[in-house]
Amino acid sequence: MNIEDDLMFPEMEKSKLSKRKEKIFEIIFEADTFYGKLFDVVLLILILLSVALVMLESVASINAQYHQVLIIFEWIITVFFTIEYMLRIYCVRKPLGYIFSFYGIVDLLSIVPTFLGIIYPATKYLSSIRILRLLRIFRIFRLTKFMRSGNLILIALRRSRSEIVVFLSFVTLIVVVIGSLIYVIEGGHPESPMKSIPTSIYWAVVTVTTVGFGDITPVTGMGRFLASILMLIGYGVILVPTIIATETLRGTRLREPGKNTQVCRHCYDDNHMDGSLFCKSCGYSLHREGDTSGDMTQK
Amino acid sequence: MNIEDDLMFPEMEKSKLSKRKEKIFEIIFEADTFYGKLFDVVLLILILLSVALVMLESVASINAQYHQVLIIFEWIITVFFTIEYMLRIYCVRKPLGYIFSFYGIVDLLSIVPTFLGIIYPATKYLSSIRILRLLRIFRIFRLTKFMRSGNLILIALRRSRSEIVVFLSFVTLIVVVIGSLIYVIEGGHPESPMKSIPTSIYWAVVTVTTVGFGDITPVTGMGRFLASILMLIGYGVILVPTIIATETLRGTRLREPGKNTQVCRHCYDDNHMDGSLFCKSCGYSLHREGDTSGDMTQK
Amino acid sequence: MNIEDDLMFPEMEKSKLSKRKEKIFEIIFEADTFYGKLFDVVLLILILLSVALVMLESVASINAQYHQVLIIFEWIITVFFTIEYMLRIYCVRKPLGYIFSFYGIVDLLSIVPTFLGIIYPATKYLSSIRILRLLRIFRIFRLTKFMRSGNLILIALRRSRSEIVVFLSFVTLIVVVIGSLIYVIEGGHPESPMKSIPTSIYWAVVTVTTVGFGDITPVTGMGRFLASILMLIGYGVILVPTIIATETLRGTRLREPGKNTQVCRHCYDDNHMDGSLFCKSCGYSLHREGDTSGDMTQK
Amino acid sequence: MNIEDDLMFPEMEKSKLSKRKEKIFEIIFEADTFYGKLFDVVLLILILLSVALVMLESVASINAQYHQVLIIFEWIITVFFTIEYMLRIYCVRKPLGYIFSFYGIVDLLSIVPTFLGIIYPATKYLSSIRILRLLRIFRIFRLTKFMRSGNLILIALRRSRSEIVVFLSFVTLIVVVIGSLIYVIEGGHPESPMKSIPTSIYWAVVTVTTVGFGDITPVTGMGRFLASILMLIGYGVILVPTIIATETLRGTRLREPGKNTQVCRHCYDDNHMDGSLFCKSCGYSLHREGDTSGDMTQK
C-alpha cells in the first residue's frame, strides 16, 4: 500500500510522464475516476471467478465434464492478468519498487502458476493464491474502518514479536522433546503408528495445538500418560489469559476494600501503589490528618 | 422484541380495535394476565414437546415402533401453532410488521416444515427450528438479567463488527491459500484423501479452527509440515489474548526498559511507578546524585 | 466447609456433649491435634489407595490375576469409610446438617457403590467418586492460598451466572438448529453417519466445542459447508476475548494521544470521559485557563 | 544462567586459577572473545545437526540406506559433546554447582543416551533432548529482549502457581469422576472402546482439553450425553476470559442497573459515569426535578 502511495503521489505532482501513462495509472492503480472504479470492480469479479474456476477444475467429476470450458476461461483471465501486470510495470514511475512490493509479488504469483502448469500440471492449482489480490479491495473501496482494525492487529503482533518468538521456541522445544520421548516409549510397539521421530513430532504438534486429528495416537499406557501431559500443556497455554484474568480479579478484589484509594493531600495525585507511605510525586506523607487504617508514621 | 413493543403500546393507548382483538392480543403477546401466563407456559411446553417429537421421529428404531403416535402429536401441535400464528397476525395492529419481524419469521418457519414434509419428507425435520421460539421466554418471564447479558454480548459483537470482518477475511484467505497449497502437495499421492481443492479447503477449516476431525489428514512429509504451520496459526490466533495479556503485564512491571528501574537510594525500595519523583516508602527524592536519564528536579 | 465450621464452633463453646463425642470430633473433623493430623493423613492415603484399587480392578488383565487381593482391600477400605461416616454422624451436633452438606453427600457416595456392587457389579466402579473427598485436604492442611484461588474462581463464576446461562442457551440453540439442518442435508446420504437428529446434535456439540472426535463427520459438500460455519462459530466464540482485547488496545491507542488526562481545576477529579467539557463531579468547566488542544468553550 | 554468572565473576575477580583454565572458561562459557563466539556458533550448528541426525536415524527408509554415515556422525558429535562437558566441569570454579544446574543436567542428558544406546538401542533417540541446549543461545547472543519476554511469562506463571494447582486439581477430579462414570455407562457395551477406567480417564483428558483424537469415543446415548457435558466443561473453561471480559464490559457500561442510565435534562447526553453529579457536556446538574433514586444535592 505504502509502495503504491509512493509511486502515485510524485507522479501527480511532477507529471513528467506521458499523458497515456498517467491515464493508465489512474485507471489501474486508483479508484477515483469512473474508469478506475469500473476497472477495479471488473478485476474483483475476475479474481473471484478465476479462484472459483481453479477450485472447480480440481474436482474430478466437474473437470471431466467441463474441462474445455474451464481451461479456456482460465487462460482468458490469466492473459488479462498478465496484460494488467505488464501495464502496472509500464505505468508506475519506479517499476522495481512495484515489482518487489507485496502486491507486486502477489500479482506475479497470480499468473506464474498457470504458465508453469503447461510443464508441471499440478502447479496450476497454486493460482488460487490470486485470492490474496482481494486484499487490495480494502484499499480500493476505502474500507478504512476495516483497515484500521487490521492495522491494529498488525501493530499488536509487531509489538509482541518477541512473545511470539518465545512462544514458537517454547512450542518447538516441547514438541521435539515430547515427540522423541513418545517415540522411545511407543516406537517399539507393533500397533503404534509412531514409526519415526518426525512422525512423532508431527503428532506432538497436532496434540499440543489441541487439533487432535487422531490418525496417529498413542496405544501404550505410558504413551497415553505422556500424551495427557502434552494435552494439558497445550490446553493450559490457552488458559493463560484465564489465569491472568483471575489474578486481575483478585487484584481488584483485594484492592477494593483496602487502602489504595489514597490521594495525596498536597498534590492530589491519586495513583499510588498499595502500601505507599509517601506521595510518589511530591514526597508528602500519605498518612496525615488522622488516617486510622494504615497510619504507621504518626504518633 | 422491539417490534412487539411497538405493536403493543399504541394498542393500549388508542384502543380502537375491537375488544376481542385486544383480548387475544393480551393473551398471546403479553404475560401480565392469568390467561396470558397460562398461554405462554402451555406454548413453552408444546415447543419443547414438539422438538422432542421431531428428534424421536428421526431415530429409526423409535419411529418404527411409535410412528403413528408421533405423527398424530406432531400434527396436533403444528395445527395449534398454525392457529396461533394466524391469531397473532389477526390481532396485531400492523400485521406486516409482525410477519417480517424476527419472531414472525421464526413462528412461520416453525410450521412450514411440517406442511412441506407432505411433499418432501426430509424437510419436516427442519421443524426443530421451533426451538428458536424459546428465545421469547426470556421476555415472557422477564428474565431481564439474562437479557442484559445477552444484549451486552450483542453490543460487544456489534462494536467489533469490523474486527470480525477482518478476522473472517483473514481466515478465508489463509484457508484458501493453504488449502490450495496442500492440494498441490498431497493431491497426487495415491493414499491422500485431498481429492479436490474444496475438500482441501474444508480440511483447512477443520484444522485452523483446531477441531481436527481426522477424516481427512495429510499423509506426506511436506503436507504434514504445512499442516503443522496451519495448526500453529490456528492455535496462535487463540493465543492473541495471552500475548496481549502478557504485554499488559509487562506494561505494568516494566513500562520503559531504561526508566523505571529506579531504586531509592535511602530505603532501597525498587518498586516505583513511571514518573515517580519521590520514593513512595520513605519520601526521599528518587533523582539525587547525578541521575542523568530522568532528572527534572535537580539543576 | 461452612457446614463443618458451624458444627465445630458451637461444640467447643458450649461443650455439653460427652467427652468421648468431643474427642472423636476433634480427631475426625479437625487437624489441630496429633491424632487429628494422623487421622487425616491416613484418610488421605486410603482415599488415593482405594481410587487406585478401583482403577486397577477395571483393567481386565490385572483383575484376572489379583481379583482376590483387590476385592479384600476394597472391602477393608469401604468398611473403614463406613465406620468413619457413622462416627461423623454420631459426633456432630446436627447430624442432618452434616448428612446433607456437600461433604456429607460425597462421604456417603464414597461407600454406597461398593455395597450396591454386590447387586449390580458395574456400579462399584462409581466408588472412584471417592476422589472428591480429597477436596477436604485443602482445608485440612490449611492450604488457604489455594482455597482463595479456588474461591475467586467460584466468585467469578457466581458473578457471571447469567453469562453462563446465556452462553449455554446460545450453544443449545445453535446445536439443535444446526444439528437438525445437517440431518436434513446429510440424513439421506447412504455413507453419512448422521443417522438421527440426536446423533447430529451430538456431532454438533463435538464440533462447536472444537473437540472434533471425527467418529461422525459430514460427507456431502453442503454438509461440510454447514460444518465449516459451525466450526467458525465455535472458534469465533473462543476468540471473543481476542476481539475485546483488540478493542481495548484501540481504546488505549486512541485515548493516549488525545485529551482524557483532564483534571478538574476545581475539585481535582481526574477521571473524565473523552470529549467531556465539564467536570462530572462539580460542574466546573474543564477548559479554562488557556487550554489550547481541545478548547471549544472559550473565545 | 545465574549459576553460570556465579561461576564466572568470582573467577575473573580473584583469578587464582591457572591461565589455561581461565582461557577455556572464556571460550566455553563466554561469548565476548572471538574464539568464544566461534565456539558457540560451532556448538549451535552441532546441536542442530545432531538433532537432525537422530531424527533421520529414526526414519526406517533413511536409516536403512545411510546407517553407517549417521552412526559415525552421531558418535563424532557425542564425543565432542562429552569432551566439552568434561572441560566445562574442569574449568568452572565450583564443578558441583555446574553439574547440578539446569544447563549442567541438560548437557549431561545430551550425551548419556548415545552411550546407553549401546546397551538399550531405543534410548539413543532420547538424545534429541539436546535441543534444550539451544536455550543457551538466548544468553549467548544477548537476546535480552526475548529473555525478558520469557522471564515475564515465567513470572506470570510463578505468581499464579496457586491458580495452576487449583486448575490441575479441578481437571484431575473432573477427569477421574467423569472417566469412571462413563466407564460404568459404556463399559458393558460390546462395541465400546472404554475397556478400563484408566482408558476412560485418558479419554476424558482427550475430551476436556478439546483435543478429541477420536480413537476412543462413546457409542451409547447416555455416554454421548455425558461426553457432551464434559466437552462443554472443557470449552467453558476456555471461555472464562470471555466471561470475565464481558463482565468488565458490563462494569464499564452499566455498573449499577438503577443508577447510571442518567440522561441530562438539558442537553440529553446519556453517557455518564457512575456517581456523576453534573452533565459532563453542558455542566447542568443531573439531579434536578425530583429524581428519587440518587438525589444527594437537592433538598
Side-chain angles (χ1 to χ4, degrees):
Chain A
M1 232 93 73
N2 280 337
I3 296 293
E4 296 193 5
D5 286 347
D6 286 356
L7 301 167
M8 195 167 74
F9 289 118
E11 193 121 3
M12 292 195 292
E13 280 160 16
K14 303 194 182 172
S15 154
K16 285 179 190 161
L17 285 166
S18 70
K19 282 271 172 209
R20 197 206 274 161
K21 259 194 180 182
E22 212 170 304
K23 185 136 201 193
I24 293 169
F25 186 91
E26 252 173 25
I27 292 169
I28 295 183
F29 278 93
E30 294 177 34
D32 298 322
T33 60
F34 172 74
Y35 287 109
K37 259 199 190 105
L38 184 72
F39 177 84
D40 285 329
V41 170
V42 169
L43 196 67
L44 174 61
I45 293 164
L46 283 180
I47 292 166
L48 290 174
L49 197 70
S50 77
V51 171
L53 282 177
V54 170
M55 284 186 193
L56 290 175
E57 211 183 324
S58 76
V59 182
S61 62
I62 292 170
N63 193 35
Q65 226 177 330
Y66 304 101
H67 186 68
Q68 289 297 326
V69 186
L70 293 170
I71 288 291
I72 289 164
F73 271 105
E74 202 190 323
W75 275 105
I76 290 170
I77 293 171
T78 304
V79 166
F80 177 88
F81 284 175
T82 312
I83 293 167
E84 180 221 340
Y85 179 65
M86 285 169 174
L87 283 176
R88 278 180 194 268
I89 292 173
Y90 168 73
C91 73
V92 297
R93 252 181 108 217
K94 298 182 190 163
L96 287 177
Y98 161 69
I99 289 168
F100 293 105
S101 71
F102 174 72
Y103 286 113
I105 291 164
V106 167
D107 290 348
L108 182 61
L109 288 179
S110 299
I111 50 177
V112 166
T114 318
F115 292 105
L116 264 181
I118 303 170
I119 311 166
Y120 310 105
T123 56
K124 77 175 161 192
Y125 298 113
L126 286 176
S127 59
S128 58
I129 212 170
R130 280 166 189 174
I131 201 154
L132 289 177
R133 299 193 71 187
L134 291 181
L135 282 173
R136 223 182 226 130
I137 64 164
F138 281 111
R139 194 183 62 80
I140 289 168
F141 297 108
R142 313 213 167 289
L143 304 171
T144 43
K145 203 178 154 197
F146 301 112
M147 283 177 67
R148 206 173 48 204
S149 295
N151 282 338
L152 270 161
I153 291 166
L154 286 180
I155 288 166
L157 289 179
R158 210 169 298 148
R159 274 166 62 182
S160 45
R161 235 176 320 175
S162 61
E163 273 86 10
I164 292 167
V165 169
V166 166
F167 163 66
L168 286 178
S169 311
F170 169 76
V171 169
T172 307
L173 292 180
I174 286 278
V175 145
V176 170
V177 169
I178 294 195
S180 305
L181 274 175
I182 208 144
Y183 175 70
V184 172
I185 293 169
E186 293 261 319
H189 198 281
E191 283 172 45
S192 173
M194 315 265 181
K195 296 293 179 211
S196 67
I197 291 184
T199 304
S200 308
I201 288 174
Y202 167 69
W203 167 83
V205 173
V206 170
T207 304
V208 86
T209 57
T210 79
V211 171
F213 283 134
D215 51 345
I216 306 161
T217 47
V219 293
T220 63
M222 266 302 286
R224 284 176 171 179
F225 181 73
L226 192 63
S228 299
I229 290 169
L230 186 59
M231 284 177 235
L232 285 171
I233 290 171
Y235 188 58
V237 169
I238 304 181
L239 288 171
V240 171
T242 309
I243 288 165
I244 291 175
T246 311
E247 178 106 324
T248 308
L249 190 75
R250 171 155 68 188
T252 314
R253 294 242 103 195
L254 291 179
R255 235 165 262 186
E256 257 173 35
K259 198 54 232 298
N260 105 16
T261 49
Q262 292 174 319
V263 180
C264 176
R265 275 163 175 81
H266 189 250
C267 72
Y268 296 95
D269 184 328
D270 66 351
N271 185 14
H272 300 289
M273 274 188 277
D274 287 346
S276 297
L277 301 178
F278 293 87
C279 176
K280 65 174 178 40
S281 301
C282 70
Y284 198 80
S285 168
L286 291 169
H287 296 285
R288 296 269 161 82
E289 291 156 34
D291 184 341
T292 56
S293 68
D295 204 326
M296 277 110 76
T297 54
Q298 312 294 321
K299 260 284 123 89
Chain B
M1 234 94 72
N2 280 337
I3 296 292
E4 296 193 4
D5 286 349
D6 286 355
L7 300 167
M8 196 167 75
F9 288 119
E11 192 120 4
M12 291 195 294
E13 281 163 16
K14 302 193 183 175
S15 154
K16 284 179 191 162
L17 285 167
S18 71
K19 282 270 172 209
R20 197 204 275 160
K21 260 193 180 181
E22 213 170 303
K23 187 136 199 194
I24 294 169
F25 186 91
E26 252 173 26
I27 292 169
I28 295 184
F29 278 94
E30 293 177 34
D32 299 321
T33 61
F34 172 74
Y35 287 110
K37 256 194 194 111
L38 185 73
F39 177 85
D40 286 328
V41 170
V42 168
L43 196 66
L44 174 60
I45 293 165
L46 283 180
I47 293 166
L48 290 173
L49 197 69
S50 76
V51 171
L53 282 177
V54 170
M55 284 186 192
L56 290 176
E57 209 183 323
S58 76
V59 181
S61 62
I62 293 171
N63 193 34
Q65 225 177 330
Y66 304 103
H67 186 68
Q68 288 298 327
V69 186
L70 292 170
I71 287 290
I72 289 164
F73 271 105
E74 203 189 324
W75 275 106
I76 290 171
I77 293 171
T78 303
V79 166
F80 177 88
F81 284 176
T82 311
I83 292 166
E84 181 220 339
Y85 180 65
M86 285 169 175
L87 283 176
R88 279 181 192 268
I89 292 174
Y90 167 74
C91 73
V92 296
R93 251 181 108 217
K94 298 180 190 165
L96 288 177
Y98 161 70
I99 289 169
F100 294 105
S101 72
F102 174 73
Y103 286 113
I105 291 164
V106 167
D107 289 349
L108 182 61
L109 288 178
S110 298
I111 50 177
V112 166
T114 318
F115 291 106
L116 263 181
I118 303 171
I119 311 167
Y120 311 105
T123 56
K124 78 176 161 192
Y125 298 113
L126 287 175
S127 59
S128 59
I129 212 170
R130 280 168 190 174
I131 200 152
L132 290 177
R133 298 194 71 188
L134 291 181
L135 283 173
R136 223 182 227 131
I137 64 164
F138 282 112
R139 193 184 61 82
I140 289 167
F141 297 108
R142 313 217 168 284
L143 305 170
T144 44
K145 203 177 155 198
F146 301 112
M147 282 177 67
R148 206 170 50 205
S149 297
N151 282 338
L152 271 161
I153 292 167
L154 285 181
I155 289 166
L157 290 179
R158 210 169 298 149
R159 273 167 62 182
S160 46
R161 236 175 319 176
S162 62
E163 274 85 10
I164 292 167
V165 169
V166 167
F167 162 67
L168 286 178
S169 310
F170 169 77
V171 169
T172 307
L173 292 181
I174 286 279
V175 146
V176 170
V177 169
I178 295 195
S180 305
L181 274 176
I182 209 144
Y183 175 70
V184 172
I185 293 168
E186 292 261 319
H189 198 281
E191 282 172 45
S192 174
M194 315 267 182
K195 295 294 180 211
S196 67
I197 291 183
T199 304
S200 308
I201 288 174
Y202 167 69
W203 166 83
V205 172
V206 170
T207 304
V208 86
T209 56
T210 79
V211 172
F213 283 134
D215 51 345
I216 305 163
T217 48
V219 293
T220 64
M222 266 301 287
R224 284 176 171 181
F225 181 72
L226 191 65
S228 299
I229 290 169
L230 186 60
M231 284 176 235
L232 285 170
I233 291 171
Y235 187 57
V237 169
I238 304 181
L239 288 171
V240 171
T242 310
I243 288 166
I244 290 175
T246 312
E247 177 105 322
T248 308
L249 191 75
R250 169 155 69 189
T252 316
R253 298 237 102 195
L254 305 162
R255 215 160 306 172
E256 267 150 49
K259 198 57 211 311
N260 79 3
T261 50
Q262 292 175 320
V263 179
C264 175
R265 275 165 176 81
H266 189 252
C267 72
Y268 296 97
D269 184 328
D270 65 352
N271 186 13
H272 300 288
M273 273 190 278
D274 286 347
S276 296
L277 301 178
F278 293 86
C279 175
K280 65 174 175 44
S281 301
C282 69
Y284 198 80
S285 168
L286 291 168
H287 295 284
R288 297 268 164 82
E289 291 154 33
D291 184 341
T292 54
S293 67
D295 203 325
M296 276 113 72
T297 55
Q298 312 294 322
K299 260 283 126 83
Chain C
M1 231 98 69
N2 280 337
I3 296 293
E4 296 193 5
D5 285 349
D6 286 353
L7 301 167
M8 193 167 77
F9 288 119
E11 194 120 4
M12 291 195 292
E13 280 163 15
K14 302 191 182 176
S15 156
K16 285 178 189 160
L17 286 165
S18 71
K19 283 270 173 210
R20 198 205 273 160
K21 260 192 180 182
E22 212 171 304
K23 187 138 198 191
I24 295 170
F25 186 91
E26 251 173 27
I27 292 170
I28 294 185
F29 279 93
E30 293 177 36
D32 299 321
T33 60
F34 172 75
Y35 289 110
K37 259 199 190 103
L38 184 72
F39 176 84
D40 286 328
V41 170
V42 168
L43 196 66
L44 174 61
I45 292 164
L46 282 180
I47 292 167
L48 289 174
L49 197 69
S50 77
V51 171
L53 282 177
V54 170
M55 283 186 194
L56 290 175
E57 209 183 324
S58 76
V59 182
S61 62
I62 293 170
N63 193 36
Q65 226 176 330
Y66 303 103
H67 185 68
Q68 289 298 325
V69 186
L70 292 171
I71 289 289
I72 290 164
F73 270 105
E74 202 190 324
W75 274 105
I76 290 171
I77 293 172
T78 303
V79 166
F80 177 88
F81 284 175
T82 312
I83 293 166
E84 181 220 342
Y85 180 65
M86 285 169 175
L87 283 176
R88 278 181 193 268
I89 292 173
Y90 168 73
C91 74
V92 295
R93 250 183 111 216
K94 300 180 188 164
L96 287 177
Y98 162 70
I99 290 169
F100 293 105
S101 72
F102 174 73
Y103 287 114
I105 291 164
V106 166
D107 290 350
L108 181 61
L109 288 178
S110 299
I111 51 177
V112 166
T114 319
F115 291 105
L116 263 182
I118 303 170
I119 310 166
Y120 311 105
T123 55
K124 78 174 160 195
Y125 298 114
L126 287 175
S127 59
S128 58
I129 213 170
R130 280 169 189 173
I131 201 152
L132 290 177
R133 299 194 70 187
L134 291 181
L135 283 173
R136 223 181 226 130
I137 64 165
F138 282 112
R139 193 184 62 82
I140 290 167
F141 297 108
R142 313 217 166 284
L143 304 171
T144 45
K145 203 177 154 198
F146 301 113
M147 281 177 68
R148 206 171 47 203
S149 296
N151 282 338
L152 271 161
I153 291 166
L154 285 182
I155 288 166
L157 289 180
R158 211 170 298 150
R159 273 168 62 182
S160 46
R161 236 176 320 173
S162 62
E163 274 85 10
I164 292 167
V165 169
V166 167
F167 162 67
L168 286 178
S169 309
F170 170 77
V171 168
T172 306
L173 291 181
I174 286 280
V175 146
V176 170
V177 169
I178 294 195
S180 304
L181 273 176
I182 209 143
Y183 175 70
V184 172
I185 293 168
E186 294 261 318
H189 198 281
E191 284 173 43
S192 174
M194 314 267 181
K195 296 294 179 210
S196 67
I197 292 184
T199 305
S200 307
I201 289 174
Y202 167 68
W203 166 83
V205 173
V206 170
T207 304
V208 85
T209 56
T210 80
V211 171
F213 284 134
D215 52 345
I216 305 163
T217 48
V219 292
T220 64
M222 265 301 288
R224 284 176 171 180
F225 181 73
L226 191 64
S228 299
I229 291 170
L230 187 60
M231 286 176 233
L232 285 172
I233 290 171
Y235 188 57
V237 169
I238 304 181
L239 289 171
V240 171
T242 310
I243 288 166
I244 291 174
T246 311
E247 177 107 320
T248 309
L249 190 75
R250 171 156 66 188
T252 315
R253 294 242 105 197
L254 292 180
R255 234 164 264 184
E256 258 174 35
K259 200 50 233 298
N260 106 16
T261 51
Q262 292 174 321
V263 180
C264 175
R265 275 164 175 82
H266 189 252
C267 72
Y268 296 96
D269 185 328
D270 65 352
N271 185 15
H272 300 288
M273 275 189 277
D274 286 347
S276 297
L277 300 179
F278 293 86
C279 176
K280 64 173 175 44
S281 301
C282 69
Y284 198 80
S285 167
L286 291 169
H287 295 285
R288 298 269 162 81
E289 291 153 35
D291 183 342
T292 55
S293 67
D295 203 324
M296 277 112 75
T297 54
Q298 312 295 322
K299 263 280 128 85
Chain D
M1 231 96 70
N2 280 337
I3 296 293
E4 296 194 4
D5 285 349
D6 286 355
L7 300 166
M8 193 168 76
F9 289 119
E11 193 121 6
M12 292 195 292
E13 279 161 16
K14 303 193 182 175
S15 155
K16 284 180 187 156
L17 286 164
S18 70
K19 284 270 174 210
R20 197 206 274 161
K21 261 194 180 179
E22 212 170 305
K23 186 137 198 192
I24 294 169
F25 186 91
E26 253 173 26
I27 292 170
I28 294 183
F29 278 92
E30 295 178 33
D32 299 320
T33 60
F34 172 75
Y35 287 110
K37 260 199 189 102
L38 185 72
F39 176 84
D40 286 328
V41 171
V42 168
L43 196 66
L44 173 61
I45 292 164
L46 283 180
I47 292 167
L48 289 174
L49 197 70
S50 77
V51 172
L53 282 177
V54 170
M55 284 187 193
L56 289 176
E57 210 182 325
S58 76
V59 182
S61 62
I62 293 170
N63 193 35
Q65 225 177 332
Y66 304 103
H67 186 68
Q68 289 297 327
V69 187
L70 293 170
I71 288 289
I72 290 165
F73 272 105
E74 201 190 323
W75 274 105
I76 291 171
I77 293 172
T78 303
V79 167
F80 177 88
F81 284 176
T82 312
I83 293 167
E84 181 220 341
Y85 180 66
M86 286 170 174
L87 283 176
R88 278 180 193 267
I89 293 173
Y90 168 72
C91 73
V92 296
R93 250 182 112 217
K94 298 180 189 164
L96 287 178
Y98 161 70
I99 290 168
F100 294 105
S101 72
F102 174 73
Y103 287 114
I105 291 164
V106 167
D107 290 349
L108 182 61
L109 287 179
S110 299
I111 51 178
V112 166
T114 318
F115 291 106
L116 263 181
I118 303 169
I119 311 166
Y120 311 104
T123 55
K124 78 175 162 194
Y125 298 114
L126 286 176
S127 59
S128 58
I129 212 169
R130 280 168 188 173
I131 201 152
L132 289 177
R133 300 194 70 187
L134 292 181
L135 282 173
R136 221 182 227 129
I137 63 164
F138 282 112
R139 194 184 60 82
I140 288 167
F141 297 108
R142 312 216 168 284
L143 304 171
T144 45
K145 203 178 154 197
F146 301 112
M147 282 177 68
R148 207 173 46 205
S149 297
N151 282 338
L152 271 161
I153 291 166
L154 286 181
I155 289 166
L157 289 179
R158 210 169 299 149
R159 274 167 62 182
S160 45
R161 235 176 320 173
S162 62
E163 274 86 10
I164 292 166
V165 169
V166 167
F167 162 67
L168 286 178
S169 309
F170 170 77
V171 169
T172 307
L173 291 181
I174 285 280
V175 145
V176 170
V177 169
I178 294 196
S180 305
L181 273 176
I182 208 144
Y183 175 70
V184 172
I185 293 169
E186 293 261 319
H189 197 280
E191 284 172 44
S192 174
M194 315 266 181
K195 296 294 178 210
S196 67
I197 291 184
T199 304
S200 308
I201 288 174
Y202 167 68
W203 167 83
V205 172
V206 170
T207 304
V208 85
T209 57
T210 79
V211 171
F213 284 135
D215 52 345
I216 305 162
T217 48
V219 292
T220 64
M222 266 300 287
R224 284 177 172 179
F225 181 72
L226 191 64
S228 298
I229 291 169
L230 186 60
M231 285 177 233
L232 285 171
I233 291 171
Y235 188 58
V237 169
I238 303 181
L239 288 172
V240 171
T242 310
I243 287 165
I244 291 174
T246 312
E247 177 105 323
T248 308
L249 191 75
R250 170 156 67 188
T252 316
R253 297 236 103 195
L254 307 161
R255 216 160 306 172
E256 270 149 46
K259 197 60 213 306
N260 80 1
T261 49
Q262 292 174 320
V263 180
C264 175
R265 275 166 174 81
H266 190 252
C267 72
Y268 296 96
D269 185 327
D270 65 352
N271 185 15
H272 299 289
M273 273 189 278
D274 286 348
S276 296
L277 301 178
F278 293 86
C279 174
K280 64 174 179 39
S281 300
C282 69
Y284 197 80
S285 167
L286 290 169
H287 295 285
R288 297 265 163 85
E289 290 155 34
D291 185 341
T292 55
S293 68
D295 203 325
M296 277 110 76
T297 54
Q298 313 294 323
K299 258 284 124 91

